[in-house]
Amino acid sequence: MRRKTDPVLILFFISGFSGLIYESVWSHYLKIFVGHAAYAQTLVLTVFIGGLAVGSWLCARVAERVVNPLRFYAIVEGVIGIIALAFHAIFVAATNWGYDWLLPATCDQASTVCFGQWALAVLLLAPQSILLGTTFPLVVSAVLRLEEGQTGEQVAALYFLNSFGAVLGVLASAFVLIPAVGLPGTLTTAGSINVGIAIVAFMLSKTPPSALVVTPEPVVSQDPLGRRLLVLLLATALLTGLSSFIYEIVWIRMLSFVLGASTHSFEIMLASFILGLALGGLWIRQRIDMIPDAVRFLAIVQLAMGVAAAGTLAVYNGSFDLMAWILSSVSRNEGGFLLFNLSSTAIALLVMLPATFCAGMTLPLITYRLLRSPSGERSIGMVYAVNTLGALLGVAIAVHLLLESVGLRWTLVAGAAIDVALGAVLLMAAPGARASRSRIPVPALVGVAALVVVAIFFDIDPRRSASGVFRNGVAKLAPNEIVLFHRDGKTASVDVLQNPRTLSIRTNGKPDAAIATGEARLPTGDEFTMALLAVLPLGHRPDAQTAAIIGFGSGMSTAIMLGSPNIKRVDTIEIEPAMVEGARKFRPIVERAYTDPRSRIVIDDAKSFFARGRGERYDIVVSEPSNPWVSGVASLFSEEFYRRVSTYMNDGAVLAQWLHTYEMDSETLASILVAVSKTFPDFLVYSSIDSDVVLVARKGGAPGRFDATVLQWPGLQPVLTRLKLTDAEVVRRRAVASWLTLGPYFSGYRAPTNSDYFPFVDQRAGKTRFTRARVDDMIELQSSPIPLLEMFDGSYLPATRRQDVIATTMVDVASTEAWKVRDMVLNETLIREAQPIDNPRQSAARLVRLWGNCTSDLTFEQMIPSLTLLAQTTNPYLDAPTSRGLWKWVSGSACGKKISADERRWVELYQAVGDRNAAGMASTGNAVLQTLKAGPSETSEFVFLATVAGLVCSGEPERARILLEQANTWVRQNFRVVDQRYLVSTINRPRDAANPQICRGTSRS
C-alpha cells in the first residue's frame, strides 16, 4: 500500500545522492584555492560540516513555527540547485581576485595561516552548506507530519535513504561524472537534480500538513534522566559524531597503506563508511518502534561501536595479506582494475562496517527518543546540529592533536574509548539501571575489558604499513629492511627504510626517494633524477639567485641547488612536516638543506605559498611533488598551476618539472605535457633515467643551451663526481627533444589538457598505476635505427668520444655499445683478442671486420644484415665525423673496394645516415628500395625509415607521405610504429616564420 510519505522519501534519497556530489566537488574546488595542507583540509571540512551544523541549528529554532516544512524544503533545494549552477563562474572570478589581490595584500608567506584566504573560502562554501544543513530536519518534520505513527521507523528510513543515496553519489561523482564532464559539469548535473527535486517537492506541498503529534514516552517515577534527558542525548550525539570522524580519519589513513592513496581509493573508503551508516539505519528501521528502552539500547550500541572500532586493529594487519593475494590473482588490465576496486571496497567494509553499522543506528535512536520528550520537533535539528559539530571537532582533534602526538593506533583507541565511556554512562543513566546505580553495569565492564585487551595486544605493524602492498603485492617488508623512522603526520605517514644497499623514504608506503649508502656503491636512479632536477635548471640559468623547490623528498635537490655560488636563497615547500623530519636520516648527504643559512623550509601547500608571496619572484622553480596518481597531487601538473606559477617567476626564469613514465600511459603523459605547453610553448625534455624525465622551460622564450661551466662549480663537484656527471657531453646527451617536435607527436593522442576543473590525470592515473602502464614513446624514438630526434630536433648531441658513465638510460648503454662496436671494426687487435661473443651487435662487428679484410667467405649480399645491424648500432649514437670514419673504412677495406655499384649504394646509404645527410638518405635510400625483392625484414625497414626521413628533411613531404602509405611493402606489422607516427606528425607539423625549418640537426650536403 502506497503511503503519502513515499514520494518525499524518494526525493530525499535523490537529495542524498546530489548532496554527496556537492561535498566531493566543493572539496575539490576549495582545495584548488586553499591547497592540500593539513590546515587547508581541516578548513574545507570545517566550512562544510560547520555549515551543516549551523543550518540544522537554525532549523531547530524555528521548526515548530514552520507551517509547511515540505514547501520550505522545496525552496531550499531550489536555491541550492541555482547556486550550484552558478558556482563555477563565481568560484573562478572570486579565486582569481583572491590570488591577484587578496592573498598578496593580506597574507604572510612565512605563515601557514592566511585569514583572508580562509575568509574567502568560507564565503564561497558556507551559504550552500548552511542550506544543506536545513534539509534533513525539514524533511523529517514533513514526513512525520504527513503520516502519524511509527515515528522511529520514519526517522530511521530517512537516515537510511539519505545515506544510501550519498553512497551512490560518491561513486557516481568519482567514477562517472567527473571523468565524463569535469567539475563544472558534475556541479551542473547535481544542481539540475536539486532544481528538479524543488519542483516536485513544491508540487507535493500544496496542502500544509497538520501539526506534529508524537506519543510521549511514559514518565517513570523517579526517572534518573528527568530533565537531563535532552542534555544527555545531545551530548551523546555530539560525542558520537566526534568519535565517528576520528574513526573516519584514522581508517582512511590506515587503508591508504593497503589500497593506495589515489582519489578513487579515497572515494571507495568514503562510500564504504557511509554505506555502513546506511545499513545501520536500515536495520534499526523495522525495530526502533518496538524497543522498550531506547536509552538502554543506545548504550549497548555505543559499547558495541567502540569495541568494534578498536577491534579493527585485530583484523587490519591481515588486510595486507588479503591485498597481496588479490594482486597475485588478478590480471593487471582494465578488468583486473575493476576487480581491484571491488576488492578494495570489500577490504574497506571489512575494516569499517561493524563500527559504522552501529554508528548508523545512533542518530535515529537519539532523534526518536527526543521526539517523544518535551523538546519534541525542535530536537530533530538540534540532534543533527550537535552531531555535525561533533564531527567537526573530531576532524580537528584527530588531525591537529592526536595523529602527530600519539599516532594512528592510539588515535583510534581514543575514539573507541569515547564510545565505550558513552555506553557506560548511558547504561548507568537508563531508567532500568536505578536499582544498580552503585555499581558499573556488566555490559560496560565487558566493553572496557575488550577495549583494554585490543589496545594492549594489537598494533599497526610498521613493516606492513610501509610495504606498499597496493603497488608491489608484497604484504611485508623483507627481513633485511629496517624501519629507521616512522611517524604519522597530519597529511601522511612517513617511513625511512634501510637495507644493505640503500636508504629510502616512503609516504603512505610509496617510495619517494632512495640514496645508495656507502661511497663504493653504485648510485640509485633516484639520485640521478634528484641531482639533475637541480643541475639542469642551474645550467640553463647559471646566474640564478633565488629558487623555489616544490617537494622536499630526501632533501637532495635542495642541497645540490645550494651548491651554486650565485644562489642567495632556496625556498623548499613541503606539505608534510614528517617528511622533513624523516629526511634527516639522509644527513650528512643533504646537510646543506638543513644548515645552510640560504635554505628556508616551508611547511605549506605550494599554490598557497606562492599566492601569499606579495610579489616574490624566483629565477628557478623546481617541481618534484609525489606521483600524480596520489590524491591531490595531479593539481600540480595542471594547466592552471603552470599558468599561475609563471606569475611567480622572473623574466627569463627557468622551470624544471619532474615526471615519471612508469605507471603512466601515453595519453596521460600527453595531457600533462600539453598542460605545460599552454604556458611554456617551447621546453626541453631531458631523460634522467629511463623511467624519469625532467622538463626544462624558460619564461618568455626557449630554454637555450645548457651551460657546462656549472659542472665545475666546487659546491657541485662531490655529488657530480660520484654520479659521473662532470662531463658536459654526458649531461647534454640526456636531452631527448624539444616540445617543438614532440608536441605534434603527443598531440596525436588527442588527450585533453590536464586541468584543475577537468582532472584527466587524477581520474586516469590510478588505473595506469594498477595496470603498470609505461610510456615507451621517447625511449623508442631514442633507440630508432635512424637518428630521427637529432635530425628533426637537434637537441640531442651524440658523444664525440668515449665516456666513462654510470648507465641509467638506454642512451648511456647504447652509446657505450656504439663505441665498443666501432672500435671492434677499426681495431683488428680487439677482434683477435675477443672471446666468443653472444652479443649480436658485437658479432656483427666481428663479421664486418673479417669481411672487410677478405678473410670471410661471405658475399656482400650475405653481409647486408650484419652491415645494417652495425649501422643501427652506431649511427644514432656516434657523431657524424666519427661515424664517417667507420664507413670510410668499410668502403675502403680490401673487400669494400671490390663491391659493385649497386652494392656500393648500401654503404653510401649507411654513411649518409651516419652523416645526417638528408639528400643522400633520400636519393640513395630510394634507389636501394627499388632493388629490394624479398618481403619485409629488419633490413628493408631500415632502408624505408632512412628514405622517408631523408625525403622529409629534404623538403619533399608529399613523396614521404606517399612512401609512408606504402609502408606494408617494406615494414612488418607494428614494427617501429612510434617512428612512423613521429614521421607523420613531423610532416603535418605547421611551419611559420618563427619555425621555418623542419629539420634542425641535418646536413644537406
Side-chain angles (χ1 to χ4, degrees), residues 11-300:
L11 287 180
F12 202 50
F13 166 77
I14 300 172
S15 177
F17 177 85
S18 64
L20 255 290
I21 291 177
Y22 288 137
E23 180 180 359
S24 174
V25 175
W26 284 335
S27 293
H28 280 293
Y29 271 103
L30 225 60
K31 287 175 182 177
I32 290 170
F33 180 55
V34 299
H36 288 75
Y39 287 102
Q41 292 179 355
T42 305
L43 173 67
V44 171
L45 288 171
T46 298
V47 176
F48 184 76
I49 299 174
L52 296 180
V54 171
S56 302
W57 190 261
L58 291 173
C59 198
R61 293 179 64 86
V62 299
E64 295 176 345
R65 298 196 298 273
V66 176
V67 177
N68 192 339
L70 187 57
R71 174 150 295 188
F72 198 169
Y73 168 73
I75 295 170
V76 169
E77 288 281 2
V79 175
I80 292 171
I82 292 170
I83 293 176
L85 295 175
F87 183 81
H88 178 76
I90 295 170
F91 177 85
V92 172
T95 54
N96 283 340
W97 171 77
Y99 278 128
D100 295 336
W101 184 86
L102 179 65
L103 271 66
T106 63
C107 300
D108 183 3
Q109 193 179 45
S111 172
T112 57
V113 178
C114 175
F115 290 106
Q117 183 182 29
W118 288 17
L120 182 57
V122 169
L123 289 174
L124 284 168
L125 202 56
Q128 52 266 43
S129 298
I130 293 171
L131 289 170
L132 277 174
T134 67
T135 58
F136 184 79
L138 287 170
V139 170
V140 172
S141 292
V143 167
L144 295 181
R145 291 188 190 189
L146 284 171
E147 191 164 329
E148 297 180 5
Q150 296 185 315
T151 305
E153 180 186 348
Q154 298 281 24
V155 172
L158 288 169
Y159 273 110
F160 161 69
L161 289 170
N162 194 248
S163 298
F164 189 65
V167 172
L168 299 181
V170 170
L171 298 176
S173 174
F175 291 93
V176 180
L177 292 174
I178 293 177
V181 295
L183 300 184
T186 302
L187 268 186
T188 299
T189 302
S192 300
I193 290 173
N194 281 97
V195 171
I197 291 172
I199 293 172
V200 175
F202 194 86
M203 293 172 63
L204 293 173
S205 65
K206 293 179 180 178
T207 304
S210 58
L212 176 63
V213 178
V214 180
T215 303
E217 188 80 7
V219 178
V220 179
S221 177
Q222 297 179 344
D223 185 349
L225 289 179
R227 297 180 180 179
R228 293 181 291 121
L229 175 67
L230 179 64
V231 174
L232 178 63
L233 292 186
L234 287 181
T236 302
L238 182 141
L239 291 174
T240 195
L242 185 151
S243 63
S244 295
F245 265 74
I246 287 178
Y247 299 152
E248 182 178 2
I249 296 293
V250 174
W251 283 335
I252 286 177
R253 179 72 65 79
M254 288 168 59
L255 286 168
S256 67
F257 301 142
V258 184
L259 313 184
S262 69
T263 294
H264 284 159
S265 293
F266 281 124
E267 302 292 2
I268 285 172
M269 296 178 220
L270 179 59
S272 299
F273 185 88
I274 300 172
L275 179 60
L277 301 177
L279 293 176
L282 178 64
W283 186 87
I284 199 67
R285 176 187 177 188
Q286 298 297 331
R287 297 164 176 82
I288 192 168
D289 286 303
M290 296 180 290
I291 296 173
D293 186 346
V295 175
R296 181 175 177 80
F297 191 87
L298 176 63
I300 299 298

Side-chain angles (χ1 to χ4, degrees), residues 198-506:
I199 293 172
V200 175
F202 194 86
M203 293 172 63
L204 293 173
S205 65
K206 293 179 180 178
T207 304
S210 58
L212 176 63
V213 178
V214 180
T215 303
E217 188 80 7
V219 178
V220 179
S221 177
Q222 297 179 344
D223 185 349
L225 289 179
R227 297 180 180 179
R228 293 181 291 121
L229 175 67
L230 179 64
V231 174
L232 178 63
L233 292 186
L234 287 181
T236 302
L238 182 141
L239 291 174
T240 195
L242 185 151
S243 63
S244 295
F245 265 74
I246 287 178
Y247 299 152
E248 182 178 2
I249 296 293
V250 174
W251 283 335
I252 286 177
R253 179 72 65 79
M254 288 168 59
L255 286 168
S256 67
F257 301 142
V258 184
L259 313 184
S262 69
T263 294
H264 284 159
S265 293
F266 281 124
E267 302 292 2
I268 285 172
M269 296 178 220
L270 179 59
S272 299
F273 185 88
I274 300 172
L275 179 60
L277 301 177
L279 293 176
L282 178 64
W283 186 87
I284 199 67
R285 176 187 177 188
Q286 298 297 331
R287 297 164 176 82
I288 192 168
D289 286 303
M290 296 180 290
I291 296 173
D293 186 346
V295 175
R296 181 175 177 80
F297 191 87
L298 176 63
I300 299 298
V301 169
Q302 291 291 155
L303 287 169
M305 179 162 62
V307 173
T312 58
L313 291 171
V315 301
Y316 174 63
N317 287 328
S319 66
F320 290 88
D321 297 301
L322 181 56
M323 177 55 73
W325 176 80
I326 291 167
L327 291 179
S328 68
S329 304
V330 301
S331 300
R332 295 300 186 102
N333 53 30
E334 289 209 14
F337 184 61
L338 175 60
L339 292 175
F340 170 77
N341 283 325
L342 292 174
S343 301
S344 296
T345 304
I347 291 174
L349 287 173
L350 179 67
V351 172
M352 296 182 180
L353 186 59
T356 54
F357 186 87
C358 294
M361 291 187 272
T362 57
L363 290 192
L365 284 166
I366 295 170
T367 306
Y368 166 70
R369 181 62 185 85
L370 287 178
L371 275 169
R372 304 180 70 183
S373 74
S375 57
E377 195 173 356
R378 292 183 300 112
S379 63
I380 301 170
M382 295 165 65
V383 169
Y384 196 65
V386 297
N387 184 255
T388 51
L389 177 61
L392 178 61
L393 294 174
V395 170
I397 290 171
V399 173
H400 296 292
L401 181 61
L402 295 178
L403 280 180
E404 282 192 306
S405 59
V406 300
L408 289 171
R409 174 197 186 189
W410 292 109
T411 301
L412 182 66
V413 170
I418 291 171
D419 280 324
V420 170
L422 273 175
V425 170
L426 287 169
L427 271 179
M428 297 177 71
R434 63 183 182 275
S436 58
R437 280 182 290 176
S438 59
R439 65 177 186 270
I440 300 176
V442 172
L445 290 174
V446 172
V448 171
L451 177 62
V452 171
V453 169
V454 172
I456 292 176
F457 293 103
F458 294 95
D459 196 359
I460 298 172
D461 185 357
R463 300 186 63 80
R464 291 179 179 273
S465 62
S467 67
V469 62
F470 59 88
R471 209 159 168 241
N472 54 35
V474 177
K476 196 172 184 178
L477 295 175
N480 65 350
E481 290 190 283
I482 302 169
V483 180
L484 294 181
F485 173 91
H486 172 83
R487 181 164 298 172
D488 297 316
K490 291 181 178 180
T491 63
S493 296
V494 177
D495 296 274
V496 177
L497 310 180
Q498 185 174 39
N499 62 37
R501 185 180 179 275
T502 63
L503 193 66
S504 63
I505 190 165
R506 298 189 174 194

Side-chain angles (χ1 to χ4, degrees), residues 656-931:
Q657 171 70 68
W658 167 80
L659 273 174
H660 61 80
T661 58
Y662 60 91
E663 298 177 344
M664 184 178 288
D665 61 8
S666 298
E667 289 81 359
T668 308
L669 179 64
S671 178
I672 296 174
L673 294 176
V674 172
V676 176
S677 71
K678 297 289 186 180
T679 300
F680 304 97
D682 189 1
F683 59 86
L684 275 173
V685 179
Y686 283 89
S687 179
S688 60
I689 57 177
D690 275 340
S691 56
D692 286 347
V693 297
V694 178
L695 313 183
V696 176
R698 185 183 299 276
K699 181 179 179 179
R705 184 177 174 83
F706 179 82
D707 187 340
T709 58
V710 302
L711 302 179
Q712 306 308 315
W713 286 348
L716 301 184
Q717 280 296 295
V719 67
L720 294 182
T721 300
R722 170 174 161 74
L723 301 179
K724 295 186 177 180
L725 291 176
T726 54
D727 190 325
E729 285 194 353
V730 173
V731 176
R732 288 174 178 153
R733 192 172 66 202
R734 279 172 159 71
V736 177
S738 69
W739 182 246
L740 178 69
T741 56
L742 288 179
Y745 174 87
F746 279 103
S747 296
Y749 284 108
R750 302 188 183 281
T753 304
N754 188 45
S755 166
D756 288 339
Y757 307 115
F758 296 89
F760 181 80
V761 172
D762 185 59
Q763 294 297 312
R764 192 180 181 92
K767 180 189 292 185
T768 59
R769 178 198 60 75
F770 172 82
T771 59
R772 294 176 175 171
R774 186 181 181 90
V775 181
D776 290 325
D777 302 57
M778 286 184 280
I779 292 177
E780 289 191 32
L781 285 172
Q782 289 176 294
S783 63
S784 173
I786 310 299
L788 293 178
L789 290 175
E790 184 185 352
M791 293 173 62
F792 290 112
D793 189 282
S795 300
Y796 169 79
L797 298 174
T800 61
R801 61 189 182 280
R802 297 173 198 82
Q803 293 160 332
D804 180 23
V805 298
I806 299 173
T808 62
T809 66
M810 179 281 304
V811 172
D812 290 332
V813 175
S815 296
T816 301
E817 182 80 347
W819 279 95
K820 183 179 292 185
V821 166
R822 176 255 184 196
D823 291 347
M824 290 182 68
V825 173
L826 299 183
N827 190 337
E828 190 169 356
T829 303
L830 294 177
I831 296 293
R832 287 197 302 267
E833 294 176 351
Q835 301 296 316
I837 298 172
D838 294 329
N839 185 317
R841 297 172 182 81
Q842 295 182 27
S843 296
R846 177 195 290 269
L847 285 175
V848 170
R849 177 73 194 194
L850 294 175
W851 172 83
N853 289 339
C854 295
T855 55
S856 168
D857 295 332
L858 296 174
T859 64
F860 183 84
E861 185 174 355
Q862 293 172 316
M863 282 299 302
I864 287 176
S866 294
L867 287 165
T868 302
L869 183 55
L870 177 66
Q872 292 173 330
T873 303
T874 59
N875 284 340
Y877 309 106
L878 302 178
D879 65 310
T882 304
S883 183
R884 190 179 304 125
L886 172 63
W887 296 110
K888 184 177 180 180
W889 181 91
V890 172
S891 61
S893 64
C895 275
K897 294 177 181 178
K898 300 177 183 180
I899 58 178
S900 67
D902 285 344
E903 293 171 337
R904 188 165 298 282
R905 286 198 190 96
W906 283 91
V907 179
E908 290 172 353
L909 176 61
Y910 300 139
Q911 181 163 342
V913 174
D915 278 344
R916 287 65 167 166
N917 182 345
M921 290 164 61
S923 59
T924 308
N926 191 61
V928 172
L929 280 178
Q930 305 311 313
T931 66

